[in-house]
Amino acid sequence: MSGRPSKVARPRRGDATRRTAALLAGALLAPLLAACGTGDDTDELPPAHAVAAADRGALTEGGTLTWAVDAMPATLNAFQRDADEVTDRVAQAVLPMLHTLDEQGRPVPNPDFLVSAEVTAREPRQSVVYVLNPEARWSDGRPLSADDLVAQWKALAGRDNAYWSARNAGYDRIDSVEPGDADNEVRVTFTKPYADWRGLFSPLYPQAVTEDPDVFNKGVRDTLEVGAGPFLLESVDRRAGHVVLARNEDWWGDRALLDRLVLAAVPHDQRLRSLAAGRLHVAEVTAAEADRITAADREEHQQAAPGASGSAADLPEPGREGTTDPDDGLDGAAAPAAAPDSAPALLRHAEAQLAARTEPDARAARRLQLRAAEAADAHAEAVAAGLLQRDAAFDQAEQRIFQGLSEVGVHRAYAPAYTQLAVNGTSPALKDERVRWALARGLDREAIARAVHGPAGLPVGALGSHFWVLGQDGYQDTSAGLGETGAETAAAQLDAAGWRRGPVRPPADPGDDTVDAKT
């Protein structure tokens, strides 16, 4: 990971800093912000990302940025089974990443840690030589070395059951890791060729973690005492739901601009209010929430292109002076403190009704009934007044949220994920190749893409390659290999395979959805 922090803040009015809400939608992707699409004409393809790029020289230094996450990480070891995207986010900020992805989704050496990395031999075995950046050091002062790569290889190779590792892909193909011929060189030799060798040692944990199974399994679940990134782990507060990363003052690369980066566990239904109140600065939101933010921004200001400058220096910091009070008046569900009390009128009504029933004098009983009716009217008026005040409180809170959201910018982008339709290849009905072709040709790929990307307001297009995504070298739409598609083509192919359309019947069981019958 580079020392350049994410550029997510820009000034809005005066000293107010614009907060950011990110909206992600599924697509088959390698890079975080790559897009998927169809066609060979790059001029017609949707944009690869919608996040404002910023010139580092235009940004100022300082401040704490709070980024919403779904939950606290169960572990800080990215190679354990319960690691999640928050684990990865922490690792990318505080640990060496020998290779990172560029804007085209290509793995490239990270110059903060690598001078170079090249395949130097393919026969008799594949050999890769890494040249480590001599300035790269762990936070305890020890330089990165072959010892770190050796220890991680042995921990993840799958040969020692003492290590609770979730995966060993690639590491299990390594035959040896040893110092190279020159200073800072590390030679990795594989038992058989491994094409994805650039994905290894990212992240790279210090030798002290990977050489000891107990430390690997348990010692780094809640803490990382030694790091080597633009940020270091400052604290993990599971009760407060915060992971705090502090700038590494001994970082040899471009200095991180933020003082701190806070990953805060915030439920999705609380994010809009937290964004409006300034307690959050970056959050993933739903399509409907993004539309609401956009509407607020459009009403307050004429929509403009994202700016390329800003500072996080004025952003409030969780748990420190200046943080917005949770009791900020944005919660419209709180009953108004000044709402009229209807209880006395209700009590008078009940007492008068009870007295009227036991009063032997008819005229006195009627007077009591009139008094009960007056009390009932007073109770109804008090309830109505309370409801009006409650509605006004809701409206006021909604207006304050709406005004706060006008300071939030929305960036819509594709997520590093994919959506696919899976079929049961073991079904006897799919034994015939013609039936499989008919199924593939009958699918409306564009409709699936619209269902995935449409709600997020992203350009819609089905992925045209099984191997590359838009923006990657070599991407080409090969979906024409399916031939003519559509329901009529699929039906004709099923007819040729001996299938005939029959009446639509309710499925006999969840696993039986037969509509057609073979003659």
Side-chain angles (χ1 to χ4, degrees):
M1 178 170 177
S2 170
R4 300 170 180 83
S6 301
K7 285 82 174 177
V8 294
R10 66 182 176 95
R12 188 62 174 174
R13 289 196 302 261
D15 294 331
T17 302
R18 187 170 175 78
R19 296 175 293 282
T20 301
L23 175 61
L24 303 179
L28 181 57
L29 302 175
L32 174 62
L33 297 173
C36 72
T38 59
D40 298 330
D41 186 354
T42 55
D43 292 336
E44 298 178 359
L45 294 172
H49 57 78
V51 173
D55 215 17
R56 179 180 172 87
L59 301 174
T60 54
E61 185 175 321
T64 295
L65 184 137
T66 305
W67 191 334
V69 297
D70 290 340
M72 292 289 288
T75 178
L76 297 179
N77 186 338
F79 296 105
Q80 291 185 334
R81 294 186 184 279
D82 50 353
D84 56 22
E85 62 179 13
V86 185
T87 307
D88 292 338
R89 194 171 298 173
V90 173
Q92 291 164 9
V94 306
L95 292 172
M97 305 290 291
L98 299 195
H99 283 83
T100 54
L101 297 178
D102 65 10
E103 291 185 354
Q104 283 72 46
R106 299 169 301 190
V108 294
N110 184 345
D112 290 328
F113 300 104
L114 283 180
V115 174
S116 64
E118 298 177 352
V119 176
T120 58
R122 300 187 185 277
E123 296 293 342
R125 291 182 176 180
Q126 177 180 325
S127 180
V128 177
V129 172
Y130 297 84
V131 180
L132 301 177
N133 184 341
E135 296 183 6
R137 293 182 175 274
W138 297 100
S139 55
D140 61 4
R142 187 176 63 85
L144 267 66
S145 70
D147 293 338
D148 300 301
L149 279 73
V150 169
Q152 182 151 312
W153 159 53
K154 291 183 177 180
L156 300 178
R159 300 168 191 168
D160 188 344
N161 293 331
Y163 288 92
W164 302 343
S165 59
R167 60 187 187 275
N168 58 11
Y171 294 97
D172 60 343
R173 293 195 183 188
I174 295 177
D175 180 64
S176 64
V177 180
E178 55 192 358
D181 298 331
D183 291 342
N184 301 312
E185 278 191 1
V186 183
R187 184 180 303 276
V188 178
T189 303
F190 293 82
T191 57
K192 51 185 174 180
Y194 185 61
D196 193 27
W197 61 269
R198 295 177 182 85
L200 302 176
F201 306 110
S202 295
L204 176 66
Y205 283 82
Q207 178 186 5
V209 169
T210 49
E211 70 178 356
D212 186 335
D214 287 337
V215 177
F216 182 90
N217 297 338
K218 302 175 183 178
V220 291
R221 292 188 65 83
D222 292 304
T223 186
L224 284 169
E225 295 182 359
V226 176
F231 290 89
L232 297 174
L233 182 68
E234 180 176 284
S235 64
V236 176
D237 189 335
R238 296 194 176 278
R239 184 173 181 180
H242 290 153
V243 176
V244 180
L245 309 179
R247 177 168 51 205
N248 183 358
E249 299 297 343
D250 295 324
W251 175 248
W252 54 93
D254 289 338
R255 176 181 170 89
L257 298 182
L258 291 171
D259 294 328
R260 284 179 177 79
L261 175 61
V262 177
L263 305 177
V266 180
H268 279 266
D269 61 358
Q270 296 178 18
R271 291 184 180 179
L272 277 192
R273 178 185 167 189
S274 294
L275 283 166
R279 292 192 300 277
L280 276 182
H281 312 119
V282 179
E284 181 181 342
V285 298
T286 65
E289 290 168 338
D291 291 341
R292 185 179 179 192
I293 295 170
T294 302
D297 186 44
R298 187 180 297 117
E299 181 172 306
E300 282 281 320
H301 311 279
Q302 183 178 1
Q303 189 73 25
S309 63
S311 170
D314 61 334
L315 300 182
E317 191 171 345
R320 295 175 182 265
E321 187 177 355
T323 303
T324 306
D325 189 336
D327 186 16
D328 47 32
L330 296 181
D331 187 1
D341 188 0
S342 62
L346 184 61
L347 179 60
R348 291 198 305 273
H349 170 74
E351 290 175 341
Q353 283 279 54
L354 182 61
R357 291 177 184 176
T358 57
E359 175 59 53
D361 182 63
R363 297 178 68 179
R366 282 197 298 273
R367 287 196 297 270
L368 289 170
Q369 288 174 347
L370 288 173
R371 190 182 303 167
E374 291 172 354
D377 290 342
H379 174 262
E381 290 174 1
V383 169
L387 291 175
L388 287 174
Q389 289 198 23
R390 183 177 178 84
D391 289 343
F394 269 111
D395 291 343
Q396 204 171 42
E398 285 292 299
Q399 184 61 28
R400 290 189 61 185
I401 292 176
F402 198 76
Q403 290 172 349
L405 292 178
S406 68
E407 297 296 331
V408 176
V410 175
H411 299 292
R412 301 171 188 261
Y414 296 94
Y418 63 86
T419 298
Q420 69 176 20
L421 179 63
V423 297
N424 183 4
T426 63
S427 170
L430 297 178
K431 232 171 139 182
D432 191 329
E433 183 180 354
R434 294 171 296 178
V435 176
R436 299 198 298 272
W437 274 107
L439 179 60
R441 287 169 174 163
L443 292 175
D444 190 337
R445 299 171 64 248
E446 294 299 325
I448 296 174
R450 285 194 299 273
V452 175
H453 299 148
L458 293 166
V460 172
L463 189 66
S465 171
H466 284 288
F467 301 102
W468 290 278
V469 297
L470 178 66
Q472 284 187 302
D473 288 343
Y475 177 84
Q476 185 177 4
D477 188 346
T478 58
S479 59
L482 277 173
E484 187 177 352
T485 60
E488 292 183 4
T489 300
Q493 198 146 18
L494 287 173
D495 286 342
W499 291 80
R500 296 290 179 268
R501 184 173 296 278
V504 177
R505 303 187 304 271
D509 59 68
D512 179 12
D513 54 358
T514 303
V515 174
D516 291 359
K518 189 171 183 181
T519 58

